[in-house]
Amino acid sequence: MIERYTLPEMGRVWSEAHKYELWCRVETLVLEAHAAAGRVPADVVEPVRQAPPPTPEAVAEIEATTQHDVIAFLSAWADNTEPRSAAAYVHHGMTSSDLLDTALAVQLTDATDVLLAKADRLVAALRDHGMAHRHTLKVGRTHGVHAEPDVWGHRVADLAFAAARSRDRLRAARTAVGVVAISGAVGTYSLIDPSVERIVAEALDLRAADASTQVVLRDGISEWVSSLAILATVCEAIALEVRHGQRTEVRELSEAFGSGQKGSSAMPHKKNPIRSERIAGLARVVRAAIVPVMEGIPLWHERDISHSSTERVFLPDAAITLDYLLDLTAGLVENLVVDAARMRANLDSTGGLIYTSAVLLELVEGGMGREQSYALVQGAAMQTWQTGTPFRETLRARAEADGVALDEGKLDEICRPERYVANLDPLFERLAALS
């Protein structure tokens, strides 16, 4: 991922230097287990443990000849080991994927922990914002068209619970990818004792694979990437709400606009939802990882290498992008500008059409047939759309023409927006408890 969207903590998780640190750690744990069992000389452990990880440059130089990254790493690390002869017992009984998959499991779980912390921040920001606007009236929209009265906090609550569910999916996926496999060339432990795998898994606070061939089957990694994509798409849903709310015709929401910020090189008046649009664009990057990574599940027999290049691109990119997205989205919510007066003005802008559903039910409950009631209310509503005459007036005229008596007192009660949100208290109690 390009530097523009890479935050330091997550960038460190996926750096080449850190990868080789993890490879050294895994190889050292395996060597320690062998030495404890008496399979290799005990005096080789300390020289290997003290050998500094090779630099990415040193590994790359050797790999240019070997065309094999693990062999290049082992050779470069051996060059740092004193005496070099101790390195002869490194990678004892292992195959490359024992190292690669186990170290990758550490990277994936470490990356997940970074993401979970930021997802917690987003959930808290949405919860607090929703609670702050539990009484902020707005119009609810379906198909982009005014529907019934609502409160802004209700819409935010929906997004808060979605973010929390998505975070919890990611937490579950952490278990799916936190898998150690140190089982040899085709997973039969032919040259390495199964106890080594268990010891290493315990040391890394991971779990040993239920079964492996030369690799761990990629269903767990596919689950992890899918959970990242869902969370990224929830971020996009938040951003989309802001983008709509910041449209000139709506003007209910807006991103914070800092002193000295500019919106356009040509139009000085512009205040554009650039953060929200960036979130929408980057969510596509995360979703794009799903299919290529999932296609790493079917490999030839005990393993081929077709998944490797895909994962080198998409796993770090998906994690780094979502990390940036979560940070950006949390900041968007924490600094969101809400125009409550504009929300109320928009709610009232259709002359009362948002109350047609309650009027329909009132007529039915008063004894009128549903079809007759619907025809009366729809006819009045269409006249309001066409002429701009307030709905109560067109309704009154239609009812009089049809010989239908209206209870104006009940209509007064029906046409109060607060009536439509009176049953939301239990929802906000759940929202207040969200963590």
Side-chain angles (χ1 to χ4, degrees):
M1 178 52 60
I2 63 173
E3 186 177 350
R4 181 182 180 92
Y5 303 125
T6 303
L7 300 180
E9 187 178 14
M10 185 63 82
R12 164 71 177 159
V13 170
W14 294 102
S15 70
E16 285 290 286
H18 183 59
K19 180 179 75 173
Y20 294 136
E21 290 170 1
L22 292 178
W23 287 14
C24 291
R25 184 182 178 193
V26 171
E27 292 283 4
T28 300
L29 288 171
V30 172
L31 186 65
E32 289 171 348
H34 281 319
R39 297 188 191 98
V40 304
D43 61 1
V44 303
V45 174
E46 192 59 26
V48 169
R49 188 186 289 132
Q50 294 301 321
T55 64
E57 293 77 14
V59 176
E61 183 179 356
I62 299 172
E63 188 180 356
T65 299
T66 64
Q67 295 296 299
H68 195 289
D69 57 347
V70 172
I71 293 175
F73 159 77
L74 293 171
S75 296
W77 194 26
D79 289 341
N80 292 347
T81 306
E82 191 62 43
R84 198 180 196 283
S85 58
Y89 293 95
V90 172
H91 207 65
H92 198 69
M94 297 171 65
T95 192
S96 295
S97 289
D98 290 336
L99 173 60
L100 296 172
D101 278 5
T102 298
L104 178 60
V106 178
Q107 284 182 295
L108 292 171
T109 53
D110 286 351
T112 303
D113 291 340
V114 174
L115 294 173
L116 287 173
K118 291 187 176 174
D120 283 341
R121 176 189 166 199
L122 175 59
V123 170
L126 289 164
R127 177 199 63 213
D128 295 346
H129 187 81
M131 293 301 299
H133 290 281
R134 65 180 298 177
H135 300 302
T136 303
L137 286 164
K138 66 178 285 293
V139 68
R141 298 173 174 89
T142 58
H143 306 276
V145 178
H146 288 202
E148 288 186 353
D150 198 354
V151 288
W152 172 236
H154 175 213
R155 180 67 184 118
V156 177
D158 189 29
L159 296 167
F161 285 112
R165 289 191 300 269
S166 301
R167 174 202 58 194
D168 295 344
R169 289 187 193 98
L170 178 57
R171 184 175 290 117
R174 185 189 189 281
T175 301
V177 296
V179 176
V180 170
I182 300 176
S183 54
V186 293
T188 60
Y189 307 95
S190 57
L191 300 174
I192 196 165
D193 192 275
S195 63
V196 173
E197 183 179 70
R198 293 194 298 270
I199 291 167
V200 173
E202 183 177 345
L204 297 174
D205 197 24
L206 303 175
R207 63 183 179 88
D210 298 320
S212 61
T213 56
Q214 192 178 93
V215 295
V216 176
L217 200 74
R218 264 38 194 176
D219 60 310
I221 291 178
S222 297
E223 177 185 343
W224 184 81
V225 168
S226 297
S227 71
L228 264 61
I230 293 171
L231 187 47
T233 305
V234 170
C235 290
E236 184 181 3
I238 297 165
L240 185 63
E241 198 71 29
V242 176
R243 291 171 67 191
H244 169 75
Q246 195 162 335
R247 289 170 58 216
T248 305
E249 296 82 2
V250 180
R251 296 203 313 278
E252 296 177 355
L253 306 170
S254 61
E255 296 179 359
F257 196 82
S259 175
Q261 184 174 340
K262 305 293 187 291
S264 168
S265 63
M267 297 168 284
H269 72 281
K270 294 295 292 293
K271 292 169 62 175
N272 301 324
I274 57 170
R275 295 173 186 83
S276 300
E277 291 171 339
R278 196 181 315 150
I279 290 166
L282 289 174
R284 299 168 189 168
V285 175
V286 184
R287 285 194 297 270
I290 293 177
V291 172
V293 171
M294 191 173 291
E295 288 178 347
I297 295 176
L299 300 177
W300 284 24
H301 309 299
E302 279 68 38
R303 188 237 185 168
D304 64 59
I305 203 173
S306 60
H307 66 291
S308 176
S309 54
T310 300
E311 291 174 3
R312 289 172 191 259
V313 173
F314 282 103
L315 297 185
D317 276 9
I320 289 169
T321 305
L322 180 59
D323 181 54
Y324 180 83
L325 274 174
L326 288 169
D327 187 74
L328 192 64
T329 308
L332 173 68
V333 175
E334 290 163 349
N335 297 291
L336 187 64
V337 178
V338 178
D339 189 337
R342 179 69 181 184
M343 285 183 170
R344 182 58 192 253
N346 284 341
L347 183 147
D348 294 333
S349 66
T350 58
L353 290 178
I354 55 177
Y355 305 118
T356 60
S357 57
V359 173
L360 171 64
L361 291 187
E362 179 63 29
L363 293 174
V364 171
E365 291 171 2
M368 184 182 293
R370 183 176 179 87
E371 290 181 350
Q372 182 185 0
S373 300
Y374 195 101
L376 191 159
V377 174
Q378 185 184 40
M382 293 303 106
Q383 187 176 350
T384 294
W385 275 123
Q386 292 160 8
T387 66
T389 304
F391 174 63
R392 287 283 293 272
E393 294 182 21
T394 59
L395 178 68
R396 192 178 295 115
R398 287 273 177 164
E400 185 177 342
D402 290 354
V404 177
L406 297 176
D407 187 329
E408 294 291 341
K410 286 188 176 180
L411 287 177
D412 288 341
E413 172 61 20
I414 286 170
C415 295
R416 285 191 317 109
E418 294 82 2
R419 178 179 183 273
Y420 285 73
V421 296
N423 292 326
L424 286 177
D425 284 349
L427 178 144
F428 284 106
E429 291 172 7
R430 293 192 295 273
L431 180 63
L434 185 64
S435 62

